[in-house]
Amino acid sequence: MITIQGKGVSTGIGMGPLYCYRRAKAEIKQYTVDDTQAEWQRFKDAQAVAMAQLGELAEKARAEAGDEAALLFETHQMMAEDLDYEEAIQDLIENEAWNAEAAVSEIAGQFHDMFASMDDEYMRGRAADVKDVSGRILNILCGVVQGGINSDVPVLLASDDLAPSETIQLDKSKILGFITSYGSSSSHTAILARTMGIPAIVGLGDQLDVIYEGRQVVVDGATGAVIIDPTDDVMADFVAKREEQLRQRALLETLKGQENITKDGKKIRVYCNIGSPEDMDAVKMNDGGGIGLFRSEFLYLNSATYPTEDEQFEAYKAVLTGMGDKEVIIRTCDIGADKQIDYFELPKEENPAMGMRALRISLSRPGFFRTQLRALYRASAYGNLGIMFPMVTSVWEVRETKKLIESVKKELHDEGIPYSDHVEIGVMIETPAAAIISDRLAKEVDFFSCGTNDLTQYTLACDRQNNDLGRFYDPHHLSVVRLLKLVVENAHKNGVWVGICGELGADLEMTETFLAIGVDELSVSPRAVLPLRNKIRSLDMTEATARILAEIDGEASPKY
Ligand code: PEP
Ligand code: MG
């Protein structure tokens, strides 16, 4: 039995075989082949598999979203069989004796650059297609598995790290837990694990070794322990622990349908964070009061190219109709930083977390932003929608966004397309700049939602992805708490409500503080709703409020 220790970032106990995530080979090596005919056949076989996969995807897209959605995959099929593309690959294999992977990779690069340098916008758009198709053929040649897992039984998935784009595409029914060498508690992969209710442990470093693949493993997402080849006794202990957790969970079930109210009658709304329409099941199962954050960028991460207006409209409409008259707050696309997407072709940056991300991208690409806003407003006719904007730092950004909204609404009106006139508009407070000018921002919007993951990162100058920063990344830091208090004061003075949608919202050590400073809503992963309700119902704020406010404002206090 071997025990290795990491950091637990999503609770629960997982038991099963360890499986190493199969990723596309980052580096393709060129070598000389002896049998060029056999190598050419290898390419042809891979091309045939790619054609079949694309055909299936086209049919699926047609059934789910219509002909326009299917067209993308059909274009990819044409690209895969394009004569010039194929002949160039054949030339390298048959005349230069290159291996198939290297030939595809080389020609893909050449075609990509050729398309990218063309004047015609449509032809420039083909650069991303050729990259995508070639990536598919390369994956087949290299034996990379679609969705990263090739196992008949559910597994504990091990990896160096998982990008959000990789996590979102995994086959969830196959995963008992995540274990990674790198990563941190506020990385998006950890956030996704919590949303899915799957145990996760990060920061195992070199201790996580491929030699453990296939061996029986137990992980405890609360303590961060990973036990390889557990003895029968240890296994029995974990089975008992899991049963106890299930028993506790069953007790919490009795809180369904109850109010989020303190002993002295203070109420707070408890909503949920989701990443896709499918997460709605978990929201309902856990009795979430609404959706406080729908991270719309996961629609983009889960797609081979920009989701069309219709595709987005269908996804937003599904959530709005599914939630009935409950509020659904959709955040516009927050791409950039750790959430990279190839087809966005974002320039490489030294410090992407402080670069072109979120609303900055939307405002720099008005066509792209309009598509999302049109989809959102079309969907607004089907429920109780709020829209919020990520990574705001200035008032002008909000004003420019509101102007775009007005022109989108006018466009829809002229086209006779229905939309709601009661959509609440909000900004995320996740930069110190936004918190400090929240008095001015409050004049522009209906609500604020505090993104404490980024607010902590930017206030404390601590990369949220870097687990090594340990206690330096401290969301309880007085500076963060003071900013939150300032934001609530400025909001309430202007009749604006305030939520917290960062991971801190579910931190039960902070619930009393949030109630004391007057936060109106907490938006958390679905599984955190009932524990939070339990905590709220156990508190009496009669004396606590004054004590906590004094601790935050005072010269010194035991807590801060
Ligand atoms: C946050 O920053 O707290 C937040 C909710 O947004 P994200 O984690 O997606 O950056
Ligand atoms: Mg954020």
Side-chain angles (χ1 to χ4, degrees):
M1 182 174 92
I2 303 161
T3 302
I4 56 179
Q5 187 64 42
K7 183 171 180 187
V9 294
S10 179
T11 55
I13 289 171
M15 302 168 176
L18 187 143
Y19 182 91
C20 295
Y21 180 64
R22 307 295 196 262
R23 174 175 289 129
K25 305 255 183 311
E27 232 179 279
I28 306 275
K29 289 212 165 48
Q30 188 223 319
Y31 55 87
T32 304
V33 294
D34 296 330
D35 187 345
T36 55
Q37 276 317 302
E39 196 64 7
W40 172 239
Q41 191 53 48
R42 212 160 73 77
F43 167 77
K44 291 297 288 176
D45 291 346
Q47 185 191 39
V49 175
M51 290 295 290
Q53 285 179 354
L54 288 163
E56 275 173 32
L57 286 169
E59 282 323 306
K60 188 162 174 272
R62 181 168 288 110
E64 288 173 7
D67 286 346
E68 203 187 328
L71 191 64
L72 167 79
F73 299 108
E74 286 161 356
T75 311
H76 282 193
Q77 280 186 315
M78 285 193 303
M79 189 74 80
E81 286 197 320
D82 177 83
L83 223 54
D84 291 338
Y85 174 75
E86 199 179 297
E87 277 175 12
I89 291 169
Q90 188 172 20
D91 180 50
L92 281 181
I93 295 177
E94 290 190 349
N95 299 331
E96 310 284 336
W98 280 37
N99 54 316
E101 293 87 342
V104 172
S105 176
E106 169 65 24
I107 299 305
Q110 286 181 16
F111 272 62
H112 172 272
D113 294 350
M114 179 184 77
F115 282 127
S117 66
M118 287 183 173
D119 290 335
D120 184 85
E121 197 180 329
Y122 174 80
M123 294 311 281
R124 273 204 310 279
R126 305 285 65 78
D129 290 338
V130 79
K131 218 165 141 188
D132 216 78
V133 161
S134 306
R136 180 176 296 278
I137 298 175
L138 280 174
N139 280 352
I140 297 161
L141 284 167
C142 298
V144 173
V145 178
Q146 284 293 315
I149 305 174
N150 182 17
S151 166
D152 294 334
V153 292
V155 294
L156 285 163
L157 191 66
S159 177
D160 51 352
D161 202 356
L162 285 164
S165 56
E166 294 172 327
T167 316
I168 194 79
Q169 290 181 39
L170 291 168
D171 177 355
K172 320 284 177 300
S173 66
K174 294 266 180 72
I175 301 170
L176 300 165
F178 293 118
I179 38 182
T180 63
S181 295
Y182 308 104
S184 72
S185 175
S186 46
S187 67
H188 284 96
T189 298
I191 291 171
L192 275 170
R194 286 193 284 271
T195 305
M196 295 180 212
I198 293 173
I201 294 169
V202 301
L204 286 156
D206 296 344
Q207 304 172 93
L208 187 57
D209 200 314
V210 286
I211 59 167
Y212 300 138
E213 174 143 52
R215 295 182 31 194
Q216 207 52 35
V217 171
V218 181
V219 299
D220 185 344
T223 64
V226 177
I227 296 133
I228 298 130
D229 299 332
T231 61
D232 289 349
D233 285 353
V234 168
M235 198 68 174
D237 285 350
F238 274 101
V239 169
K241 197 169 173 186
R242 189 160 69 174
E243 271 163 16
E244 173 56 20
Q245 282 177 357
L246 291 174
R247 213 177 57 77
Q248 295 292 342
R249 192 75 216 168
L251 277 181
L252 287 176
E253 295 282 307
T254 61
L255 291 176
K256 284 189 184 171
Q258 309 265 357
E259 280 190 302
N260 305 302
I261 185 167
T262 61
K263 285 192 189 322
D264 55 317
K266 238 182 155 179
K267 287 187 194 170
I268 186 165
R269 305 198 297 275
V270 178
Y271 286 5
C272 291
N273 296 345
I274 62 167
S276 72
E278 291 82 64
D279 294 337
M280 243 190 322
D281 291 344
V283 177
K284 289 182 181 163
M285 261 166 52
N286 290 282
D287 199 22
I291 308 287
L293 165 63
F294 176 1
R295 289 180 162 95
S296 71
E297 60 275 11
F298 285 110
L299 296 178
Y300 296 76
L301 282 160
N302 209 1
S303 174
T305 186
Y306 293 100
T308 61
E309 180 183 313
D310 280 347
E311 284 166 346
Q312 292 188 54
F313 164 68
E314 292 298 341
Y316 304 147
K317 180 179 154 196
V319 178
L320 283 159
T321 47
M323 292 302 292
D325 56 5
K326 290 187 172 161
E327 190 164 18
V328 173
I329 295 173
I330 302 181
R331 166 173 85 182
T332 58
C333 187
D334 183 6
I335 272 313
D338 62 322
K339 287 176 283 194
Q340 293 289 334
I341 303 182
D342 282 354
Y343 62 79
F344 269 71
E345 305 210 320
L346 294 173
K348 208 154 174 46
E349 294 175 294
E350 285 289 324
N351 291 304
M354 295 202 276
M356 264 299 172
R357 93 171 255 210
L359 188 62
R360 294 175 184 179
I361 295 179
S362 301
L363 288 175
S364 308
R365 302 183 181 194
F368 154 78
F369 200 16
R370 282 187 89 85
T371 303
Q372 181 165 36
L373 291 173
R374 275 183 62 97
L376 284 165
Y377 270 89
R378 280 173 60 193
S380 71
Y382 296 86
N384 184 1
L385 176 68
I387 304 177
M388 66 180 177
F389 307 102
M391 185 85 176
V392 167
T393 53
S394 306
V395 173
W396 70 260
E397 297 164 339
V398 183
R399 291 199 179 135
E400 201 169 304
T401 301
K402 282 170 41 184
K403 262 199 199 140
L404 258 175
I405 289 177
E406 285 315 310
S407 93
V408 161
K409 280 164 61 175
K410 181 170 180 319
E411 203 171 77
L412 292 177
H413 177 265
D414 293 348
E415 291 169 23
I417 298 174
Y419 63 88
S420 163
D421 252 332
H422 305 287
V423 176
E424 282 203 310
I425 297 293
V427 293
M428 291 193 68
I429 304 289
E430 48 183 355
T431 63
I436 293 164
I437 61 162
S438 51
D439 56 334
R440 305 276 174 92
L441 288 171
K443 307 257 184 311
E444 303 291 331
V445 294
D446 303 305
F447 70 93
F448 288 152
S449 185
C450 301
T452 49
N453 309 330
D454 278 315
L455 188 61
T456 306
Q457 153 163 276
Y458 296 125
T459 306
L460 301 183
C462 272
D463 178 359
R464 64 190 269 189
Q465 300 289 112
N466 183 351
N467 197 35
D468 294 342
L469 286 169
R471 62 201 166 111
F472 294 105
Y473 181 94
D474 174 17
H476 293 191
H477 195 283
L478 180 58
S479 59
V480 178
V481 178
R482 279 191 174 166
L483 285 178
L484 292 175
K485 178 167 174 285
L486 174 72
V487 168
V488 177
E489 284 165 1
N490 283 332
H492 287 178
K493 267 187 225 155
N494 289 282
V496 161
W497 66 263
V498 183
I500 294 192
C501 64
E503 297 304 292
L504 198 61
D507 182 339
L508 303 184
E509 276 181 49
M510 292 298 289
T511 315
E512 211 180 15
T513 302
F514 295 149
L515 284 160
I517 63 177
V519 170
D520 303 287
E521 175 245 30
L522 296 169
S523 191
V524 300
S525 66
R527 267 164 61 97
V529 169
L530 295 177
L532 186 52
R533 182 170 298 163
N534 194 33
K535 177 74 186 184
I536 294 163
R537 293 174 68 87
S538 75
L539 293 172
D540 187 332
M541 300 304 295
T542 319
E543 280 160 20
T545 298
R547 171 181 48 81
I548 291 168
L549 293 182
E551 278 177 357
I552 296 171
D553 292 334
E555 288 180 11
S557 76
K559 182 153 184 191
Y560 298 109

